[in-house]
Amino acid sequence: MLRSLFIALSQNKRLRAFSERSVLGRRMSGRFVAGMTVEEALSACEQVNREGIAVSLDSLGESVTVEAEARASADIYHRLLDAIAERKLNANVSVKLSQVGMDIDPLLAEQIVGEMVAHAVEADSFVRIDMEGTPYTEATIAMTERLYGRFPERVGTVLQAYLYRTAADAERLLVEGIRIRLCKGAYKEGPDHAYPSKADVDANYVELMKRLVTSGVFCGIATHDEVIVDAMRRFVQEQGVDKAAFEFQMLYGVRRDLQRRLAAEGFGVRVYIPFGTEWYPYFMRRLAERPANVLFLAKNFFKN
């Protein structure tokens, strides 16, 4: 019930406008969002890197309907890629297609992301094309394939374990050598597209992650679920999987203790650091993914 509520709230334009402008809203989002500016995000990246943990930087924004806004979003990513190279950060970037014009013209979005990936080659970095709801799934995968053909090893995408189609999509991408970030999924999908029960999603996630880490293609296992993390630990040990075959990926501000523990155990860990003024949909989806975050925020809101 809470998951459905927060996903519905993530799409409420009036509440979004109020929250993103208010001091109260920004204070609440601060646990999961690294700030409003590029410099704040880079500072957070440097701090995480000092702990031996890699970073994926994400300038928040989605559902852009004006070309100038799509190009302005892209400009932020070019600034990030320049900073990654100049500051020698252990970082890459993650971008949503709807943020760079997919809803205006798919060719525009592909041009913009292609320029971004070309820049990532120069910066010795990598672009992750993030996944959105099912209307974008096939287009996102297909664009990733085309760009990978032009820029091998420099672009990858995200698959969501709650979708029925994901096992087939994973095989499709692995055959091509394309890196996958596996997550559970944070959008509202009906039973015609997605497993309706958490138990089924978790079971599919575990099956998929085992396939990915033994595929020979480097992948990201994106989860904060300690049961699943422990299952991966056991699988790695029992099957003799090289820890360098994958990395755990987690969100900024979530399970910092687990992030540090895994890094200390020799696992690769990458933290996804979002920033920007358009933080509201992302914030609400984090609450939808893990309603316990609501209690955490309530307990800590009045603490300095």
Side-chain angles (χ1 to χ4, degrees):
M1 186 181 297
L2 280 175
R3 174 182 168 81
S4 296
L5 171 63
F6 284 120
I7 289 176
L9 290 175
S10 75
Q11 300 165 344
N12 188 304
K13 294 181 180 179
R14 186 172 298 177
L15 184 56
R16 173 180 177 176
F18 169 78
S19 299
E20 289 183 344
R21 293 182 188 131
S22 72
V23 173
L24 177 63
R26 291 189 179 192
R27 183 178 173 189
M28 290 181 66
S29 69
R31 175 69 184 187
F32 306 115
V33 178
M36 302 296 119
T37 68
V38 167
E39 193 54 45
E40 286 174 315
L42 293 171
S43 177
C45 178
E46 289 171 338
Q47 181 179 351
V48 171
N49 279 178
R50 283 194 289 272
E51 297 182 13
I53 296 174
V55 165
S56 186
L57 292 163
D58 179 13
S59 173
L60 293 172
E62 52 194 73
S63 303
V64 164
T65 57
V66 178
E67 181 174 342
E69 293 178 355
R71 295 197 179 278
S73 295
D75 287 344
I76 294 173
Y77 279 97
H78 288 293
R79 288 174 61 192
L80 292 172
L81 289 166
D82 282 337
I84 287 170
E86 290 165 6
R87 303 189 190 192
K88 296 180 172 55
L89 301 174
N90 184 1
N92 58 35
V93 298
S94 178
V95 62
K96 284 183 170 60
L97 291 183
S98 71
Q99 183 181 5
V100 290
M102 191 68 174
D103 296 331
I104 305 168
D105 180 356
L107 293 177
L108 170 67
E110 188 160 345
Q111 177 196 352
I112 288 174
V113 179
E115 291 168 353
M116 202 180 293
V117 180
H119 193 166
V121 173
E122 296 174 7
D124 193 23
S125 190
F126 177 85
V127 175
R128 180 80 64 185
I129 302 178
D130 210 347
M131 189 59 75
E132 300 177 71
T134 51
Y136 296 91
T137 304
E138 179 57 33
T140 300
I141 292 171
M143 188 185 297
T144 303
E145 291 172 320
R146 290 191 296 272
L147 291 174
Y148 187 87
R150 294 169 55 195
F151 307 104
E153 309 299 328
R154 296 298 181 172
V155 63
T157 192
V158 179
L159 295 181
Q160 302 174 110
Y162 67 172
L163 297 181
Y164 301 132
R165 64 174 288 168
T166 297
D169 289 337
E171 295 301 329
R172 169 180 170 182
L173 293 171
L174 291 174
V175 165
E176 298 179 67
I178 296 174
R179 286 161 57 174
I180 297 166
R181 177 181 191 260
L182 179 67
C183 66
K184 289 188 182 180
Y187 293 85
K188 186 173 178 60
E189 304 289 357
D192 52 334
H193 292 295
Y195 294 100
S197 77
K198 180 180 182 301
D200 287 339
V201 175
D202 288 354
N204 196 42
Y205 190 101
V206 170
E207 183 175 343
L208 288 166
M209 79 176 182
K210 291 177 179 179
R211 171 69 183 106
L212 294 187
V213 302
T214 56
S215 69
V217 179
F218 185 81
C219 59
I221 303 302
T223 183
H224 307 98
D225 187 328
E226 201 154 2
V227 172
I228 290 177
V229 169
D230 287 342
M232 177 58 86
R233 279 189 176 117
R234 289 192 300 274
F235 184 74
V236 165
Q237 184 174 15
E238 292 166 1
Q239 301 299 316
V241 176
D242 190 339
K243 290 180 180 178
F246 70 99
E247 64 187 10
F248 285 108
Q249 297 187 356
M250 299 187 184
L251 301 174
Y252 181 77
V254 182
R255 293 306 310 268
R256 292 173 179 169
D257 58 329
L258 184 56
Q259 295 169 17
R260 291 166 180 154
R261 193 187 327 150
L262 289 168
E265 292 175 7
F267 289 101
V269 180
R270 184 176 300 274
V271 170
Y272 174 94
I273 295 184
F275 71 97
T277 57
E278 298 184 51
W279 52 264
Y280 175 82
Y282 171 84
F283 176 69
M284 285 296 173
R285 287 197 293 270
R286 298 298 74 76
L287 297 183
E289 279 181 333
R290 192 168 182 264
N293 286 329
V294 180
L295 296 177
F296 175 86
L297 288 172
K299 289 178 186 176
N300 289 275
F301 185 72
F302 294 104
K303 292 182 181 179
N304 294 324

